[in-house]
Amino acid sequence: MPHAYLSVALDVPLPRSFDYRAPAGAAAVGERVIVPFGRQTLSGVVLAVSETAPDFAGLKDIAAAPGDLPALPADVLALCRFCADFYAAPLGMVLAAALPAALRQPKPWGGDGGMLQWQATDADALLARLSPRAKKQRQLAELLRTPQTREAVREIAGDALRWLADWHAAGEVIAVAPARPTGMPRQASLPQLNPAQAAAVDAVNAAEGYAAFLLYGVTGSGKTEVYLRAIAERLGRGEQVLVLVPEINLTPQLEARFRQRFPDEAIVSLHSGLADGERTRNWLQAVRGEARIVLGTRLAVFTPLPALGLIVVDEEHDGSYRQQEGVRYSARDLAVWRARDRKLPVLLGSATPSIETWKNASEGRYRRLDLPLRAVGGAVAPTIEVLPTGRIALQDGIHPLALERLRATLARGGQALVFINRRGYSPVLACNECGWVSGCKRCDAKLVLHLGDRRLRCHHCGFECAIPAECPDCGNIDLKPLGQGTQRVEDALAVRFPDTPPLRIDRDNTRRKGSLEAMLAQVHDGEVRLLVGTQMLAKGHDFANLQLVVVLNADAGLFSVDFRAEERLFAQLLQVAGRAGRAGQPGQVLIQTRYPEHPFYAALLAGDYAAFADEQLAARRELLLPPCAAWLMVRAEAKRIETSLAFLNALRGALVGMEVQAMTPIAASMSRKAGWERAQLLVTAATRGPVVAAAAHLAALLAAKPPKGVRWVIDVDPQDV
């Protein structure tokens, strides 16, 4: 039997591919194969096929070519190669990250039946044999007069899929491929665009080939409506659209709005909150062109889309687009690269654009489209007021004036949000007698008090323990919580406003699937009028009756060593302020601070993000900080800090003669985490080319001779200092 020789990328931390033998024609470039690797069996992607055997002995045969992955197209392979080269990551790991989890397993994917739709061969005959008392079965039979998805069948009853399987086995139901919609989509009623929105839509629709747009609009200015109009235009041309959102919790509400606007379109979501089977089926629908709108978080940027015509990146400034574990990359930056490579437009939207994007727009690489007004008639930006707390006796951490405004807002039937970006009951438990505080034994961090669970937890390494009955150092039993978290604020408000019980929304109480959607539904229906929340509520949500926002603990970002801290704080506060006054109601925002004279608050009160961004950009240009310089951070951790620093110093020596400047290694801002001592090496250059070359050089050195007792990460364009 003739053979072919495959070069296969595997999900291993090595910057190379591996050769295997296979029957001729068993697999093509971009397809999936299952191969032996040492004592393991792994799934990999074919990078090249040759008829010539490699020049070494002992070549292994592939274990299987399951044929369950449509060949990754050339543009997706190119995107993955660019990601691997730019971020100094093994190509096999990038390709693995680009695939759904079910297609990374070393076994065939057997769930493709979910891609099909189901229809009764003779609905009347099926109904005739069903008992009149089997109401749910009869409802399903009626539904199957037309093709239905598994998801639609499942919604009928818990046993509906079993009935479907029985009827299919009996030949009463058949599987059919879904029809692909063509032409201009049918849309629900369209709102009137204001002139700025209309101009933005016209600019995007007129784009031919690659074009990058920054849609810079104040909160509530109707950026989503611009997205929808641009998407409709691309669908009318028979193209697909990729829409990236930063957080899972934004996906359901945006998907609902898209389904309402495009009722006949196949719309799929891709995010980590989906079960493996559902995510794989959605991904395959996109790959095959059956889904014309793909809505997803950062990993969706790699999704193969044969008819891709437009990429939208909503809230482009958001840090969630940056992958911080495994292969580190920016989905926003990859989206722009992909648009350029595919020669199609990319639309980046934000009320508070990142300084990187602002620089690109200022220098003409992106075209800026401004939406200066709120889209709802009569809606105006909320008033922002700073409440000094230095000489005020706070009540449960809340300014008396804020409590008075909360009471007045609730009395007139409005909704209010108390925003504090800190989970738990209190950030620390302390002893007033000896000064002991609840520190994590594995990190340079404090254990957060979670009073409801009677636990102390580290939000960095996951360590937790019971609340001690007495001080571990002096035996004092009167331990006190210091500071506030969402749980403590919730308890305080419940006491002060017993007739309007608060609803807390944070990561601690939205872990169960569907819980966040249920809570947001309560808010939209008016069942809840007093909210306590973290940054989960700061972006993307549209609460029509929200009239007041109170921000606690805003000063935390003012004195960070990270040069991006003020940019992030400005964006966060402007985003959370934008939740108020969105439907013609007057909106108020109160920000508590001990430093009301700080220049940051003067800029925030002016509400002019453009002026703030220009000032930030000028400062970074003068100080040679990103994006006016290129950075690479090498992070290392070992059981002893001396080991980490020695490792980084050796790497610094390996960069001598390259066109970069390598700083002296220092301890990380959190020098100990989960029992490991951490340090970092900063490498800089005026442009990205030398930094990328330095990253590749270091990655090759470390792959050739892996260090012992040291864990390391190469982070190109680091977002945390």
Side-chain angles (χ1 to χ4, degrees):
M1 176 185 294
H3 288 92
Y5 300 92
L6 312 181
S7 176
V8 180
L10 298 176
D11 185 12
V12 294
L14 297 171
R16 49 162 295 199
S17 59
F18 300 87
D19 294 319
Y20 290 90
R21 188 175 66 171
V29 171
E31 291 186 344
R32 190 166 85 99
V33 291
I34 298 170
V35 300
F37 186 78
R39 297 181 180 180
Q40 308 175 72
T41 301
L42 299 179
S43 172
V45 175
V46 178
L47 299 179
V49 179
S50 174
E51 296 179 356
T52 304
D55 188 20
F56 62 85
L59 196 66
K60 294 182 179 180
D61 291 323
I62 65 169
D68 51 5
L69 170 66
L72 294 176
D75 70 299
V76 172
L77 291 174
L79 176 66
C80 291
R81 285 193 176 95
F82 169 77
C83 180
D85 292 343
F86 187 87
Y87 294 104
L91 178 57
M93 294 181 68
V94 176
L95 285 164
L99 297 175
L103 294 175
R104 299 198 297 265
Q105 304 304 314
K107 58 184 179 180
W109 158 248
D112 203 23
M115 296 295 302
L116 301 172
Q117 295 183 356
W118 306 89
Q119 183 174 12
T121 54
D122 188 336
D124 291 330
L126 179 57
L127 284 163
R129 79 162 186 81
L130 294 175
S131 168
R133 290 179 294 180
K135 294 183 179 180
K136 288 294 185 181
Q137 291 191 23
R138 296 184 67 84
Q139 182 182 348
L140 177 57
E142 284 286 357
L143 189 70
L144 291 173
R145 289 185 183 277
T146 58
Q148 301 295 327
T149 64
R150 282 173 60 94
E151 286 70 27
V153 170
R154 187 187 292 119
E155 290 177 1
I156 297 295
D159 290 334
L161 289 177
R162 180 173 58 80
W163 302 335
L164 182 71
D166 292 343
W167 298 347
H168 181 247
E172 295 171 308
V173 168
I174 59 172
V176 295
R180 296 191 186 186
T182 58
M184 186 63 71
R186 178 172 68 90
Q187 300 182 67
S189 57
L190 303 180
Q192 182 70 35
L193 297 179
N194 61 38
Q197 287 177 304
V201 171
D202 289 344
V204 177
N205 288 347
E208 297 292 340
Y210 168 71
F213 297 94
L214 167 59
L215 185 62
Y216 169 51
V218 300
T219 53
S221 59
K223 291 186 289 293
T224 303
E225 185 59 36
V226 174
Y227 301 158
L228 291 167
R229 299 295 180 101
I231 289 168
E233 171 69 20
R234 296 294 159 173
L235 297 179
R237 302 181 190 184
E239 297 172 346
Q240 293 173 290
V241 178
L242 173 62
V243 182
L244 298 180
V245 295
E247 298 272 8
I248 293 173
N249 69 73
L250 296 180
T251 311
Q253 61 176 348
L254 201 59
E255 183 177 359
R257 185 165 180 184
F258 278 29
R259 290 191 186 281
Q260 182 182 25
R261 176 61 67 87
F262 304 116
D264 300 328
E265 289 294 332
I267 302 172
V268 298
S269 291
L270 295 172
H271 55 77
S272 60
L274 299 174
D276 285 350
E278 184 178 4
R279 183 172 181 176
T280 303
R281 286 189 287 269
N282 288 355
W283 188 86
L284 288 170
Q285 277 189 276
V287 173
R288 293 169 176 165
E290 293 158 3
R292 296 212 291 170
I293 300 176
V294 176
L295 182 64
T297 49
R298 57 178 176 260
L299 273 177
V301 73
F302 295 105
T303 306
L305 295 161
L308 183 60
L310 172 69
I311 301 175
V312 175
V313 184
D314 189 30
E315 307 289 2
E316 66 81 28
H317 67 278
D318 198 281
S320 298
Y321 285 121
R322 176 73 182 198
Q323 172 69 29
Q324 297 286 24
E325 301 292 337
V327 178
R328 299 185 175 217
Y329 64 89
S330 164
R332 177 200 64 206
D333 294 350
L334 290 183
V336 174
W337 191 93
R338 186 175 187 183
R340 182 186 292 111
D341 182 61
R342 287 284 298 262
K343 298 179 175 58
L344 51 87
V346 57
L347 180 57
L348 312 174
S350 178
T352 54
S354 66
I355 302 302
E356 288 81 3
T357 296
W358 192 261
K359 179 175 183 288
N360 283 326
S362 300
E363 296 175 354
R365 282 187 286 274
Y366 299 170
R367 178 178 172 185
R368 197 174 108 188
L369 307 172
D370 290 358
L371 301 180
L373 303 174
R374 289 199 157 189
V376 175
V380 296
T383 59
I384 300 178
E385 186 176 343
V386 168
L387 299 183
T389 60
R391 298 181 180 179
I392 297 292
L394 302 181
Q395 302 175 31
D396 294 311
I398 305 176
H399 197 289
L401 180 58
L403 288 170
E404 181 183 321
R405 299 274 182 89
L406 282 168
R407 189 171 289 109
T409 299
L410 297 175
R412 63 174 177 264
Q415 288 177 321
L417 164 64
V418 178
F419 176 84
I420 178 169
N421 202 25
R422 179 180 284 159
R423 294 183 288 136
Y425 184 84
S426 167
V428 67
L429 189 67
C431 173
N432 289 333
E433 292 294 325
C434 70
W436 172 88
V437 293
S438 55
C440 178
K441 296 179 180 179
R442 305 170 64 202
C443 300
D444 288 332
K446 300 297 185 287
L447 292 177
V448 177
L449 173 62
H450 288 254
L451 194 59
D453 299 330
R454 306 293 301 171
R455 307 291 285 175
L456 293 171
R457 292 192 181 120
C458 178
H459 289 177
H460 297 280
C461 73
F463 172 78
E464 64 176 80
C465 63
I467 298 174
E470 59 185 30
C471 175
D473 287 353
C474 72
N476 174 33
I477 62 172
D478 189 21
L479 301 179
K480 299 290 187 183
L482 296 181
Q484 293 172 291
T486 50
Q487 293 176 14
R488 191 172 189 179
V489 173
E490 177 190 25
D491 288 353
L493 293 176
V495 172
R496 293 183 176 276
F497 302 102
D499 297 330
T500 314
L503 174 66
R504 172 171 56 90
I505 299 181
D506 59 26
R507 296 202 183 281
D508 290 330
N509 67 346
T510 56
R511 298 184 188 279
R512 186 171 51 83
K513 186 174 182 179
S515 58
L516 176 61
E517 290 82 355
M519 291 180 183
L520 293 176
Q522 287 182 283
V523 179
H524 289 298
D525 293 342
E527 298 175 26
V528 172
R529 293 196 295 115
L530 181 55
L531 283 163
V532 177
T534 61
Q535 61 181 345
M536 291 181 69
L537 294 179
K539 52 200 172 190
H541 300 288
D542 194 351
F543 303 131
N545 196 32
L546 185 63
Q547 299 174 19
L548 175 66
V549 173
V550 178
V551 180
L552 309 182
N553 197 38
D555 297 333
L558 288 181
F559 305 105
S560 170
V561 297
D562 193 331
F563 67 89
R564 291 188 176 92
E566 286 195 11
E567 174 193 351
R568 289 169 178 158
L569 181 60
F570 199 109
Q572 184 181 81
L573 294 180
L574 212 59
Q575 290 283 341
V576 73
R579 300 313 106 202
R582 293 174 71 93
Q585 306 258 17
Q588 294 182 344
V589 180
L590 306 178
I591 301 175
Q592 296 186 185
T593 175
R594 291 181 59 86
Y595 308 98
E597 305 303 322
H598 195 288
F600 173 86
Y601 287 113
L604 183 68
L605 291 175
D608 188 349
Y609 184 79
F612 172 80
D614 285 338
E615 183 179 325
Q616 287 282 308
L617 187 56
R620 294 190 196 179
R621 189 174 285 116
E622 182 177 349
L623 297 172
L624 296 179
L625 296 173
C628 302
W631 276 20
L632 159 69
M633 190 77 77
V634 185
R635 308 180 195 274
E637 55 186 25
K639 291 303 180 180
R640 297 174 63 248
I641 189 65
E642 293 82 3
T643 305
S644 297
L645 291 171
F647 167 76
L648 293 177
N649 268 310
L651 293 186
R652 185 187 185 205
L655 295 175
V656 172
M658 302 192 73
E659 297 177 0
V660 295
Q661 182 179 6
M663 308 299 182
T664 302
I666 60 172
S669 55
M670 180 184 288
S671 62
R672 188 164 61 97
K673 181 176 179 181
W676 290 75
E677 302 288 341
R678 308 160 75 227
Q680 57 194 36
L681 166 66
L682 175 63
V683 180
T684 70
T687 59
R688 283 180 166 178
V691 160
V692 171
H697 178 61
L698 293 179
L701 287 177
L702 292 169
K705 190 176 181 180
K708 294 181 179 180
V710 179
R711 302 193 302 207
W712 54 272
V713 167
I714 293 176
D715 193 359
V716 179
D717 281 351
Q719 296 301 298
D720 296 304
V721 178

